[in-house]
Each structure stands twice: as C-alpha cells, then as structure tokens.
Amino acid sequence: PFRRSKTLSNPAARPSLSSHTQIQLKFIDSSDEDNAPKLILSPEEDDAIRSVAKTLSSDDAYGAGWFDRPEAWAAAKQDFPVLQQYEDADLRDAYLKQKPKILEIFTDTPLGPFLLINLIAKFSGFTW
C-alpha cells in the first residue's frame, strides 16, 4: 500500500513561502517602440557589426562585454570604416537589438549539428 510522507501531510512541516526570496519577472512587449534600434543599418553595416561581434567577443583584450568598452568600438571603426559615422552608443544599441540570421542559428549554435545528426540517423535507417 501507498503511504504518505509525514512531512508532506503535516501542514506545519511544510516550508513557508514567505521565508523565501520572491522572484519578479518582467515581460518585454515586442511591439514596444523602445525595443526598436535607433539606427536603421544598411546590409553592409549590418554585416560589419556581425563581423565585429565575432572578432571582438573572442579577442582576449575585450572579452564577453566588449560592446560596453569605447576602445572596442574604436577598433571596430578602424577595421570597418562604414561604421565611423555612428556614435558608440548607437552602434551598441543596434548590436544588442540585432536579430540573428537563420544561417547563424544553424552554424553558431548546437542546433545545426543536432539536426544534421538526427536527419542522417533518420534517413540512414538507424534505430536506437
């Protein structure tokens, strides 16, 4: 026969929710105009920012928070003259609000190899 645990059936033994830290969630409305980047970039400028992100995020001198460092944007503007006309804050905003391309999702995340391996297994007749 099934027996209930005494700690779960006894209300006094249950932990109180008021003793735990509360978590607040903030939902962002995607239709909000504040979410749109201030800059509308040309395809050439968009590709330049994507290249800058790949280069500087892996550079030991700048690291993961490269987009908050003025010297990183100075190096980016030196390497990509098409970005020189913009302020650092505007470029940072455009980078942070940039949507990924579908090809980047498959090549830069584990999703691509995962799908490829599963498709090969499915069409080769492999069974677990």
Side-chain angles (χ1 to χ4, degrees), residues 18 48 61 88 109:
S18 62
D88 293 353
T109 68

Side-chain angles (χ1 to χ4, degrees), residues 39-108:
L39 295 179
I40 304 299
L41 300 174
S42 70
E44 182 183 3
E45 294 165 340
D46 184 62
D47 289 340
I49 286 187
R50 290 177 193 278
S51 296
V52 164
K54 287 181 183 177
T55 305
L56 295 181
S57 64
S58 62
D59 189 353
D60 292 337
Y62 302 110
W66 67 270
F67 49 83
D68 287 328
R69 300 178 67 181
E71 61 271 11
W73 287 113
K77 289 177 183 178
Q78 185 177 5
D79 293 341
F80 296 94
V82 73
L83 301 176
Q84 288 179 352
Q85 62 186 339
Y86 300 114
E87 297 291 323
D88 293 353
D90 292 336
L91 289 172
R92 178 188 180 277
D93 181 58
Y95 166 70
L96 291 176
K97 293 180 180 178
Q98 201 174 41
K99 305 284 187 224
K101 292 182 178 180
I102 191 74
L103 183 61
E104 288 178 341
I105 293 172
F106 289 122
T107 58
D108 297 344

